[in-house]
Amino acid sequence: LTQTFEDEALPISPEFIVNMSVLPKLWSRTAKAEGDLSLPEYRILDLLVHSGEPLRSFDVASRLAMDRAAVSRNKDKLEKAGYIQAEQNAKDRRDVLLSPTEKGKTTEARIHEKLQEITSDLYSDLDDEEAKRMNGQHAQMYRTLTSK
């Protein structure tokens, strides 16, 4: 018996569709409540925390598939809030390197934990195998968006 795409893909059900439309809204509210951040600001902070090295604005825009102007606006807000720091690139004086501050790392960890709780609650009706597949798909999508 050959599996169809639907069998191999995520479990599509009315609950799944509702979760996928509700989840970004819940993530947005959580980022705002836990760190006074918009979801795009959180995505930038999350990338910088987990990148392991300072990144140029261009690299942030590329990895997150965001407009460079949006990255610039959000960078300014994150810097003013003390979540990231921007230092002039020694190799190219016209460019800056972005990195998280300790405050940014702590805030990102707190938001990340809350987002995991929310996601787990929404997927509590899935069996272990479905939940494992769902988490794998989310991780793959995120890695694709944030890879070089």
Side-chain angles (χ1 to χ4, degrees):
L1 184 86
T2 305
Q3 284 190 323
T4 65
F5 171 77
E6 290 81 8
D7 293 333
E8 293 176 10
L10 301 176
I12 305 298
S13 66
E15 294 82 11
F16 173 78
I17 293 167
V18 169
N19 286 346
M20 292 312 292
S21 66
V22 169
L23 199 53
K25 292 174 187 171
L26 290 174
W27 286 347
S28 250
R29 279 190 234 143
T30 301
K32 189 70 169 171
E34 295 295 324
D36 197 27
L37 297 174
S38 67
L39 199 51
E41 290 166 350
Y42 171 73
R43 290 181 64 217
I44 292 170
L45 180 60
D46 179 62
L47 174 63
L48 293 173
V49 166
H50 296 285
S51 71
E53 63 183 351
L55 298 174
R56 299 176 306 146
S57 293
F58 174 82
D59 296 324
V60 171
S62 175
R63 290 185 188 189
L64 296 178
M66 290 177 80
D67 179 79
R68 289 176 70 184
V71 170
S72 181
R73 282 190 306 275
N74 288 310
K75 173 199 78 81
D76 291 342
K77 292 177 186 176
L78 289 166
E79 195 173 13
K80 285 178 186 171
Y83 291 131
I84 67 170
Q85 57 189 14
E87 295 180 27
Q88 195 169 32
N89 186 344
K91 295 178 184 177
D92 182 353
R93 310 268 291 144
R94 298 170 296 171
D95 200 10
V96 295
L97 293 172
L98 307 176
S99 57
T101 62
E102 286 305 313
K103 177 182 177 183
K105 290 175 185 177
T106 302
T107 301
E108 187 281 333
R110 185 175 62 247
I111 294 171
H112 184 86
E113 183 178 328
K114 292 288 187 180
L115 295 180
Q116 283 185 318
E117 288 173 17
I118 288 168
T119 304
S120 294
D121 288 347
L122 282 176
Y123 297 143
S124 63
D125 61 331
L126 301 178
D127 67 33
D128 289 343
E129 187 59 36
E130 290 171 329
K132 184 177 177 181
R133 262 196 324 215
M134 181 78 71
N135 286 334
Q137 292 288 334
H138 284 156
Q140 182 62 39
M141 286 187 292
Y142 189 78
R143 278 192 303 274
T144 300
L145 288 174
T146 59
S147 66
K148 291 183 180 180

